Structures are given as C-alpha cells and as structure tokens.
C-alpha cells in the first residue's frame, strides 16, 4: 500500500509548488531537479519505482540513444552523460553507475569514409557537407568511441581481455566490423532507490504517495489544485495513453532474462578460453539479431541482462516459451554457459514509444487548466536512462520559466 511519506521539514522559500506524476527514472529525476531549484514538490505515482511492472526498473541501463527519434535527444543525452560520468564507478564499487566497454557488431562498414575527414573548404562543390554516417554522440571523446574491423577488435582485445566472441566466431557469423566505446551503465534498481530516497529526504518535498492512479489529465489537475500546486509535470510514461488520450504512444515490449553476473562462462567454439573482463555486446543484424529482436548482453549491477525485443503494440505480459528459447540461445552466443547456468529472473516491460517525445507545456486548454500550468515529459522510448537528466532539466525549466 502506498503510504504517504513526509519529509521532516519543508522549505518556506520554495518558488512554487508542483505536482510531479510518475516515479520512473523520468519522474524521479524531474522531481529532484525541481527540488534542487527550490521548488516544493508533491510526488504521485500509481506504483513504487521498484515495482516489477515499471519500465525503468527492468531496463538494461545502458547509456546509448536507442529508439528515441527526436532532434532534442542529443542535448538531453549529453546532460545525462555528464551526470552519470561524474559517478566514475568501476566494477564492484558502491556506485549505481559503472563504466563498461560496449561492442556493437556490424556486418558492413557503415562508418566514415575518407571524404568525411576532408575539411569542408577543401571538398568539391557537389560533395555533401556532412561528418559521416555515425551518430553525433559518438564524437564525445569521453566515450573513447572507435569504429573497428573485427581484426583490430581482436588485436586490441589481447590487451582489454573482454568477454566477447573471438575473431573467427564473429567472421563465421558474418560480422566484419564493430563499434567499441565505454559508456556508463546504470544499475537501474539501485539508482531508482537512490533517487527515491533523495526525493523522500529533501527539505522541499511536501509528500510522496506511490499508490495514486490518475484516470485522466482532468483528475491530475484537480488533485494539483486541491494540493495548492500551481503546476503539474506529467511523467506518466505509457500511462499517458489513457490519462491524456494520447494515441501516438504505444508500448515497445521488451523481454529479458537475468543471469547472475558470476555465472559460469563457456569457452569460445574456436578454442579461446573466456577472458576475465565483462563487456556489453549488442547486435541488430542477422544471424544473431534484427531490428525488432536485438540480441544483447549488458552487465548491470550483479546481473547479466540478456535481451531482447522491441515489439510495438505487443501486449503479452509473460515471456513466451519461444522467446525464452531465443534469449537462452542469445545468452549462449554471448558467452554464458547456459548448460550450467539458469536465469535468476525474467522480465517483461513496455517502453513508452512515441514518434516524438512529448516534452512541452500543454497549451491545448483541453482540460480547462484552472490556472494550473501543465508540463508533459513522457514518450522517451528505449532511451529513458540515456536522457533522464537532460529531459528533467528541460521540464523543470518549462515549469519555472
């Protein structure tokens, strides 16, 4: 039951009072941003952040813009990267953030060509002015991003000693190129718990209730008015489909298996013994994966998260037998000895997928706002943990601006 929790004190100097709806990574970080800007906050959500049904708690937590097609993402992701890198944790530390090497396997080059390294003023008149096909975020030097042939990946791995398939195995499957970079990975349950405690204990928090289900935006606004708030921030994620009647948002179903991070690893089929250092591996191309059934393993806290799917409109809440079989095969492919190790958990969640993230002031007047400013902050797709800090900063600025 969602008992109301109150902080010991409440600052009387807060600039305003805001109702924040939602306690996933977006809602909690938005609440923290407002609290740190001296705004009083009431936090409401339908369930606690660590409830298994919430999308944030089951996520792999890898910082990497993914299925979030919005021109604002790079800015939000950069703010988030700044904050996550400030944790600077290494494996086994107490931080909810760990820097982990990531390998994204590619069949074809799909990288910059010679012309991309030629200065703009030296290009021929008919040449396109671009920096190449790699995403803009790959240019951040803190990520140590490299675009490699698998021969170079294998050569470097003699030093890095990462738990990744051998050069022969990769070539045998048709993967000839790879991205290698070092982003932060969030231990989602620990980070959610940490953020919830921060909200709970902040002097500007009025109260927290994680057992409040809003039926509509009107209901949300009425509650805000009764609480004496002058603004609402709607971070309800997929719930916005019903609350706001937003038919653009749809659940992107994800299915995961969790293995103990210390579980047995198997030798490579080509005779190489497992290396000691964990890495995340992602593949969106056949034969191991495809665009809606990405194959991946992500070391996250004390588990290895094995995925995955991105099935929009699929509402099944359980892992189907054929999905469990495919994910077990993915685990084996990624080096887990599935003959000796069983999953410690499985998870099904629904990413709040929307053609364009809704992060804006609601000017529709559809609910008769009653003097309450409404700011929406939802629809971040599979990039919640990649953008949550930047999105929170922008939402808070819309509230106080």
């Amino acid at each position: 039951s969602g008992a109301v929790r109150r902080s010991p004190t409440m600052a009387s100097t807060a600039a305003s009072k805001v109702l924040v709806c939602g306690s996933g990574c977006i809602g909690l970080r938005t609440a923290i941003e407002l609290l740190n800007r001296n705004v009083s906050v009431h936090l409401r959500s339908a369930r606690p952040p660590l409830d298994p049904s919430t999308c944030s708690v089951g996520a792999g937590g890898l910082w990497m813009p993914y299925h979030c097609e919005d021109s604002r993402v790079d800015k939000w992701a950069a703010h988030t990267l700044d904050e996550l890198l400030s944790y600077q944790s290494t494996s086994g530390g107490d931080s909810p953030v760990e820097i982990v090497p990531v390998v994204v396997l590619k069949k074809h080059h799909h990288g910059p060509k010679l012309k991309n390294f030629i200065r703009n003023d030296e290009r021929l008149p008919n040449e396109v002015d671009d920096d190449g096909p790699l995403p803009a975020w790959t240019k951040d030097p803190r990520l140590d991003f490299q675009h490699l042939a698998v021969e170079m990946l294998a050569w470097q791995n003699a030093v890095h000693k990462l738990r990744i398939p051998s050069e022969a195995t990769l070539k045998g499957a048709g993967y000839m190129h790879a991205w290698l970079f070092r982003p932060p990975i969030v231990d989602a349950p620990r980070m959610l718990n940490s953020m919830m405690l921060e909200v709970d204990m902040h002097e500007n928090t009025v109260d927290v209730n994680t057992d409040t289900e809003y039926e509509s935006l009107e209901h949300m606004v009425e509650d805000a008015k009764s609480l004496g708030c002058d603004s609402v921030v709607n971070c309800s994620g997929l719930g916005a489909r019903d609350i706001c009647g937003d038919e653009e948002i749809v659940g992107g179903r994800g299915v995961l298996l969790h293995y103990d991070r210390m579980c047995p690893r198997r030798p490579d089929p080509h005779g190489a013994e497992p290396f000691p250092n964990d890495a995340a591996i992602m593949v969106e191309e056949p034969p191991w994966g495809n665009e809606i059934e990405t194959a991946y393993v992500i070391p996250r806290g004390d588990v290895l998260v094995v995925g995955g799917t991105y099935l929009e409109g699929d509402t099944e809440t359980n892992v189907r037998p054929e999905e469990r079989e495919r994910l077990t095969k993915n685990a084996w492919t990624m080096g887990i000895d599935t003959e000796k190790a069983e999953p410690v958990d499985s998870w099904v969640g629904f990413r709040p997928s929307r053609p364009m993230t809704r992060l804006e002031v609601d000017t529709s007047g559809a609910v008769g706002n009653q003097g309450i400013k409404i700011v929406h902050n939802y629809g971040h797709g599979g990039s919640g943990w990649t953008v949550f800090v930047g999105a929170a900063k922008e939402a808070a600025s819309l509230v106080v601006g």
Side-chain angles (χ1 to χ4, degrees), residues 125-159:
N126 63 345
E127 285 190 296
V128 177
D129 179 11
D130 68 55
D131 295 322
L134 295 175
W137 59 263
T138 63
K139 298 180 177 65
D140 192 311
R142 297 172 297 177
L143 296 171
D144 295 331
F145 183 91
Q146 298 181 75
H147 185 286
L148 302 168
V150 293
E151 293 90 345
M152 182 59 72
L153 177 67
W155 183 79
Q156 288 196 19
N157 206 38
V159 176

Side-chain angles (χ1 to χ4, degrees), residues 146-192:
Q146 298 181 75
H147 185 286
L148 302 168
V150 293
E151 293 90 345
M152 182 59 72
L153 177 67
W155 183 79
Q156 288 196 19
N157 206 38
V159 176
H160 298 316
K161 300 188 184 304
L162 304 178
R163 289 168 164 160
I164 60 175
S166 68
E167 177 185 344
T169 297
L170 294 177
K171 286 183 171 179
Y175 301 112
M176 308 303 289
H177 301 272
W179 295 356
L180 175 63
F181 60 106
R182 292 173 52 82
I185 292 177
V186 178
D187 185 350
R190 288 188 63 192
M191 182 66 92
L192 288 167

Side-chain angles (χ1 to χ4, degrees), residues 8-217:
T9 60
M10 174 189 149
S12 60
T13 56
S16 61
K17 192 190 290 187
V18 179
L19 173 62
V20 176
C21 303
S23 63
C25 65
I26 300 294
L28 288 176
R29 187 59 184 79
T30 299
I32 289 168
E33 189 65 27
L34 288 164
L35 291 166
N36 289 339
R37 296 190 191 194
N38 206 29
V39 176
S40 297
V41 169
H42 293 267
L43 182 70
R44 298 287 185 269
S45 64
R47 55 194 62 85
L50 297 184
D51 188 286
S53 67
T54 62
C55 186
S56 293
V57 74
L62 168 65
W63 184 96
M64 179 181 173
Y66 176 69
H67 286 275
C68 192
E69 309 303 326
D70 192 313
S71 60
R72 300 169 291 177
V73 163
D74 286 341
K75 178 180 70 173
W76 298 336
H79 283 302
T80 304
L81 184 63
D82 290 343
E83 184 160 298
L84 294 181
L85 287 178
S86 70
Y87 287 88
Q88 287 298 317
S89 174
T90 56
S91 184
D94 293 330
S95 169
V97 179
E98 181 180 354
I99 309 302
V100 178
V102 174
V103 176
V104 180
L105 299 175
K106 304 282 185 179
K107 297 179 79 169
H108 305 289
H109 185 268
H110 296 315
K113 298 178 173 59
L114 179 60
K115 68 175 185 178
N116 302 127
F117 297 96
I118 300 173
R119 285 179 12 207
N120 289 343
D121 58 2
E122 294 178 357
R123 292 179 182 172
L124 296 174
N126 63 345
E127 285 190 296
V128 177
D129 179 11
D130 68 55
D131 295 322
L134 295 175
W137 59 263
T138 63
K139 298 180 177 65
D140 192 311
R142 297 172 297 177
L143 296 171
D144 295 331
F145 183 91
Q146 298 181 75
H147 185 286
L148 302 168
V150 293
E151 293 90 345
M152 182 59 72
L153 177 67
W155 183 79
Q156 288 196 19
N157 206 38
V159 176
H160 298 316
K161 300 188 184 304
L162 304 178
R163 289 168 164 160
I164 60 175
S166 68
E167 177 185 344
T169 297
L170 294 177
K171 286 183 171 179
Y175 301 112
M176 308 303 289
H177 301 272
W179 295 356
L180 175 63
F181 60 106
R182 292 173 52 82
I185 292 177
V186 178
D187 185 350
R190 288 188 63 192
M191 182 66 92
L192 288 167
N193 191 54
S194 173
M195 289 196 294
M196 191 64 172
L197 286 172
E198 185 173 351
V199 171
D200 234 359
M201 300 304 296
H202 201 287
E203 64 178 0
N204 289 336
T205 299
V206 183
D207 59 32
V208 174
N209 189 308
T210 56
D211 191 21
T212 303
E213 191 143 6
Y214 292 107
E215 297 172 358
S216 65
L217 196 56

Side-chain angles (χ1 to χ4, degrees), residues 217-239:
L217 196 56
E218 290 89 341
H219 185 193
M220 206 178 273
V221 168
E222 286 169 8
D223 199 22
K225 195 168 183 64
S226 71
L227 293 168
C229 296
D230 48 37
S231 301
V232 170
V233 187
N234 172 26
C235 306
S236 57
L238 191 58

Side-chain angles (χ1 to χ4, degrees), residues 332-397:
W332 173 265
T333 301
M334 303 295 175
I336 296 172
D337 191 342
T338 55
E339 294 180 354
K340 298 178 181 176
E342 290 287 332
V344 295
D345 199 6
S346 61
W347 182 82
V348 176
F350 300 89
R351 307 170 183 93
S353 301
R354 198 174 186 274
M356 185 72 72
T357 301
R358 193 172 188 197
L359 207 174
E360 63 184 11
V361 176
D362 191 327
T363 57
S364 68
V367 298
N369 298 6
Q370 306 178 54
I372 306 290
K373 178 190 280 189
I374 302 171
V375 174
H376 296 288
N377 185 8
Y378 67 82
H380 297 279
S383 289
W385 285 112
T386 297
V387 303
F388 74 114
V389 175
K393 288 178 180 292
E394 182 155 331
S397 295

